[in-house]
Amino acid sequence: MAESVELPTRLGILPFRNKVLLPGAIIRIRCTSPSSVKLVEQELWQREEKGLIGILPVRDAADAATVDPVVSQGVGTDSGERSSRVQVGASDSHRLDGKNQQEVIHWHSRGVAARALHLSRGVEKPSGRVTYVVVLEGLCRFNVQELSTRGTYYTARISPLEMTKTEMEQVEQDPDFVSLSRQFKATATELISVLEQKQKTGGRTKVLLETVPVHKLADIFVASFEISFEEQLSMLDSVDLKVRLSKATELVDRHLQSIHVAEKITQKVEGQLSKSQKEFLLRQQMRAIKEELGDNDDDEDDVVGLERKMQSSGMPSNIWKHAQRELRRLKKMQPQQPGYTSSRVYLDLLADLPWQKASEEYELDLRAAKERLDSDHYGLTKVKQRIIEYLAVRKLKPDARGPVLCFVGPPGVGKTSLASSIAAALGRKFIRISLGGVKDEADIRGHRRTYIGSMPGRLIDGLKRVAVCNPVMLLDEIDKTGSDVRGDPASALLEVLDPEQNKTFNDHYLNVPFDLSKVIFVATANRVQPIPPPLLDRMEVIELPGYTPEEKLKIAMHHLIPRVLDQHGLNSEFLRIPEAMVKLVIQGYTREAGVRNLERNLAALSRAAAVRVAEQEQAVSLSKDVQSLASPLLENRLADGAELEMEVIPMGVNNHEISSTFKIASPLTVDEDMLEKVLGPPKFDDKEAAERVATPGVSVGLVWTAFGGEVQFVEATAMGGKGELHLTGQLGDVIKESAQIALTWVRARARDLNLSTAEAANLLEGRDVHIHFPAGAVPKDGPSAGVTLVTALVSLFSQRRVRADTAMTGEMTLRGLVLPVGGVKDKVLAAHRCGIKRVILPERNLKDLTEVPSAVLSGLEIILAKRMEDVLEQAFEGGCPWRQHSKL
Ligand code: ADP
């Protein structure tokens, strides 16, 4: 490209319609017309040395008419004329009439000599026409002197137009040219760097700028742009270097500007897209997702729906104002904004709360209520009586501010079910709020909305769930609330239970007062002691001490078994649990105050029975009737070669008849075998006490826990040591002190009790004592183990066994007085459950025995003790034999 070219005087001409090949440009063309094929064949293909051809632009006739009215002379009229000649002016376009008068060709007078870089020949099928594909490179300009035809293509006599070397050198001295070429190079460099930035290409194009002479560069650059034919022509005509350079600079600059403008537009569009378009696109996506989920009501409808819900919620006017303020805020927010969801959830709660909605309270029928209580619960006469009284007062004075009932007792004695019976008797909805383990005031009162993840308290949440403002609300396990650094839930509960304050209960999350005065509160607790006194003061405690085995049996037969059978899809026709077996379950498998474990065991039996019944049902359904029906039918059909048909049960037959077809011959009756198989070997028996006290140093005590009364063994042993007392079994401080008192008392009375001789006055001389309370995993505390501890120690030192049928409870003073203790009723019941026959109690607990069912008392010998000696007298077989020697 850089080298100068020797031009021949005559060149074969290839016309380019409305197109210019500039020097330095490379073009790939396909020649199919007979004239161009001939031209290529003769001028390029068949030549041995590299041939050149001239590319001459040709203008369309219509364009020529408007742009250039000069009509050039005809080249010839006859297409067959071999050597017709035409004179063409230097700068004019001329007309060459090739084939006939009509087809006038407007030749441009200047062209570019080109050489073929690559040639390939092909044969078109099926016509067999030869075609060429030529890659041409423009070399230099020439002027057409004369145009003629050779066979089918044109040739021209030409003269070169490019400057000679000396001319070139002269021009290069010209300061105008120098500044022009500098300007061109600057623009071209800028264009290249812009293009490279865009296309992230390396700096290959820049090398061109350094190596190629600037006048050729001008052509190469312009050839690579898309410019109009006119502009191409004028570039071709720019033989003068200065003119060419300034034209090229102008074109390159124009191209550069157009790139800049295009870039600016894209940026602007992209910017707009990133704001509104992005939002639009996201919204479109969201809508599509919602549609896909079948949830196509959009946010706006959502807010409208919310407002409607708020309007119909019956909020008091002041709260309505507050809610509207919040709603206005919500409407101004975008759903994507951070506060939107929290605001939305809050308003939802406001709209969902039962501000006015109440279940209709019908005229209370006391007799029906009593019947209902009786049918739901066995026994509990006093409790039921108190409930009826409570209901009667409510009937006479519906807005009476009676105390809150609080059922206290071990688990499974029916506290929850009594509360729900109250709700049923009043025709109100029932909701249970569990307070067990609540230590944070926010659980009752809610978190302020400023906190992330804040929620309403359990009461407001419960009311939202129950959706009426007058339910019976059970505050379950109110004794299990504790207080710590996060506040005191009990003080919040005080407000809830105080009829004066609960009209305007303030939940921190809700932030507006809610009227709780229509709610009927009922509480449950396992024990009274942990309930804070101010809270206890607002409640009326009703104790449910637990059931005797006889009561349990009745409850099981009349309430639990029918319910459990029903829950398992059985009835007494399928499974029978005889009384004797229930008794066995009560004695051998449960030792609880309530009936929850009993119910669980009965459920286990029912499950086992359900499996058997289900299995039998299947066996029966395939048995004789059906088979005798089916087999001849099958045989007939098979004999006919027909398809099998299903047996259709006639429409008239009802379900009962169908199930009677499958009814098992006789109901399954639970026996000892089945008990053992399903429940395993019995867990408890009456012999336990006898086995435990078989060695001296063990006594039987009665304690009171959250699960009701229990029998607690105390073990003492002695070994060589320094007179120390070891205590184990997770004991609290009070019980540890009781052990110290007991040991001191025994040591002080050792002589009188005949435990040591006068010479060895110190009972602990050279030995340690270890006292252990079994069930080491259960924490124990309380003062009532005093007498039991002394008995264990006396048994240990005297090496005499205590009576296995006797259990005891009582606090002891250092001087040996027996003081009264709590939970007597539960303890006596526990002794009865465990098969103990004699119970030693502090004398001052006599009054508590009135609460113990007479059935239990009749089966027990109750011994009342005033002093420790009375206890010891009764605890050992044959009394206290050393008494005659002492002056206790
Ligand atoms: P609590 O709330 O005291 O722990 P529940 O009320 O949950 O106990 O009672 C446990 C189960 O025992 C319930 O199925 C209940 O119906 C039943 N139950 C308790 N006491 C009686 C009773 N006296 N009569 C009939 N069923 C009872």
Side-chain angles (χ1 to χ4, degrees), residues 376-378 412-417 547 559 563 595-596 599:
D376 286 353
H377 299 92
Y378 172 83
V413 290
K415 301 184 295 291
T416 313
S417 62
Y547 300 112
H559 297 275
R563 197 182 321 150
V595 291
R596 199 164 281 155
E599 191 173 3

Side-chain angles (χ1 to χ4, degrees), residues 504-681:
T504 54
F505 173 68
N506 200 353
D507 184 283
H508 289 327
Y509 179 83
L510 202 59
N511 209 18
V512 286
F514 190 89
D515 183 3
L516 292 179
S517 61
K518 297 194 189 75
V519 179
I520 296 182
F521 289 103
V522 180
T524 77
N526 288 140
R527 305 164 64 170
V528 176
Q529 283 83 350
I531 304 176
L535 203 55
L536 197 60
D537 192 45
R538 285 182 170 60
M539 299 190 287
E540 179 175 337
V541 170
I542 299 176
E543 288 195 25
L544 289 95
Y547 300 112
T548 64
E550 293 73 28
E551 283 173 325
K552 284 188 192 174
L553 182 65
K554 292 265 171 42
I555 294 173
M557 297 312 293
H558 296 128
H559 297 275
L560 302 183
I561 293 179
R563 197 182 321 150
V564 163
L565 288 183
D566 187 52
Q567 280 165 3
H568 292 80
L570 300 167
N571 58 37
S572 55
E573 285 176 32
F574 293 99
L575 178 70
R576 288 216 180 118
I577 312 181
E579 263 196 38
M581 290 305 116
V582 179
K583 259 190 202 162
L584 273 183
V585 176
I586 294 170
Q587 284 163 10
Y589 296 89
T590 65
R591 265 230 178 130
E592 50 172 356
V595 291
R596 199 164 281 155
N597 273 332
L598 177 60
E599 191 173 3
R600 233 170 258 149
N601 283 326
L602 294 174
L605 288 173
S606 308
R607 277 199 301 275
V611 174
R612 284 210 209 161
V613 170
E615 276 171 359
Q616 272 187 8
E617 249 188 27
Q618 254 182 3
V620 172
S621 67
L622 289 174
S623 71
K624 45 192 181 335
D625 318 343
V626 181
Q627 264 174 0
S628 62
L629 256 170
S631 3
L633 191 93
L634 285 182
E635 275 158 28
N636 284 347
R637 297 285 182 194
L638 287 173
D640 290 346
E643 287 166 9
L644 289 182
E645 266 183 24
M646 297 232 306
E647 198 56 25
V648 181
I649 297 169
M651 289 296 286
V653 182
N654 62 27
N655 275 347
H656 178 70
E657 280 172 65
I658 295 169
S659 73
S660 65
T661 323
F662 303 131
K663 204 159 68 185
I664 51 174
S666 62
L668 191 65
T669 308
V670 175
D671 54 12
E672 277 187 57
D673 251 17
M674 185 173 168
L675 270 193
E676 281 230 30
K677 238 182 238 163
V678 178
L679 305 179

Side-chain angles (χ1 to χ4, degrees), residues 20 85 100 114 119 127 164 182 248 266 291 370 378 423 453 474 477 548 592 617 623 625 688 735 754 825 834:
V20 176
R85 292 180 173 211
N100 51 44
L119 265 177
S127 59
T164 60
R182 202 174 294 140
T266 346
E291 259 170 38
K370 194 167 179 336
Y378 172 83
L474 179 72
E477 306 197 312
T548 64
E592 50 172 356
E617 249 188 27
S623 71
D625 318 343
E688 192 192 359
I735 209 165
N754 229 3
K825 192 163 55 174
C834 296

